[in-house]
Structure formats: C-alpha cells, structure tokens
Amino acid sequence: MQVPVFGRDREIDASRIDADPATIREQVREYEDGVRTEFDLEIDYPDDFTGAVMRAMARIPPGETRTYGDLAAELETAPVAVGQACGRNPIPVIVPCHRVVGRDSLTGYMGGLDLKRQLLEHEGAAIPGDPEA
C-alpha cells in the first residue's frame, strides 16, 4: 500500500502489520503531524536476517541514530549486510530504517536522501556530516 509521508509516497507492506490500512495511514499522518513519535502497530517480522535487522532498527529511539557499523556489531555481521537488509525493509518509516546512517554521512535510503534527512530533522536527530550536528 502507498502511504504519503512529507509529500512522498512510500510503499509499505501492510501484510506485515496487524492493522487495517486506515489505521496505518492515520498513525503515519500523526507521526508526520508531530502528534506521534512511535507507532502502536503489531509488526510481523520476517524470520530471517532482514527480520533481525528490522528488530534492531525498531529499538532505535526517535531522535536518535545508529550507524550501519553499530547494528553490524550488535548482530555480529558486516555493515554492508546491514545496509542491504535496511534496503529490504518492507515497512519503512514505521520500522525506522531512516535512523540508520553512515559514520560520517546519511548514505542510502530507498526513499531518497532528502526524505531521510527530513525524517531525521523531524525527529530532532543529529545528522552525520552536518556542521551543526
């Protein structure tokens, strides 16, 4: 299903969320409006490496980031493997792959780096490589 976020449509696999599409869209809209910082949705995580990375991403609090290397160390794998799994995240924004960044830069986001930056700024997160960070 397509869900608008800051003027861009993001594809979200609603089959992985135990909620009707209207509830999913409403919670994303509340997030965008600043009413909600976390989602109250039951997620069906895949039983594979991507699912493990998704669970790790879901533990990153709003307004914070982790590097691909941080998650790689936590999951005992390589940063590139974490990046690939982030790219396979079927429910972006709700499972916050935008909170995973490079050590010195934003780097990679299926929705585009402009949207990644906008999501992080919306949450008040420091942005790597930003002179004001």
Side-chain angles (χ1 to χ4, degrees), residues 53 56-57 60 66-76 82 100:
V53 172
M57 290 187 293
I60 303 171
R66 300 292 181 274
T67 66
Y68 295 97
D70 292 337
L71 293 188
E74 178 183 331
L75 298 170
E76 298 179 355
V82 170
V100 184

Side-chain angles (χ1 to χ4, degrees), residues 103-125:
R103 183 180 51 198
D104 299 317
S105 65
L106 286 182
T107 198
Y109 186 63
M110 292 298 291
L113 291 181
D114 288 341
L115 179 56
K116 185 171 187 169
R117 175 179 292 281
Q118 192 170 12
L119 291 166
L120 291 173
E121 287 173 347
H122 175 69
E123 294 181 1

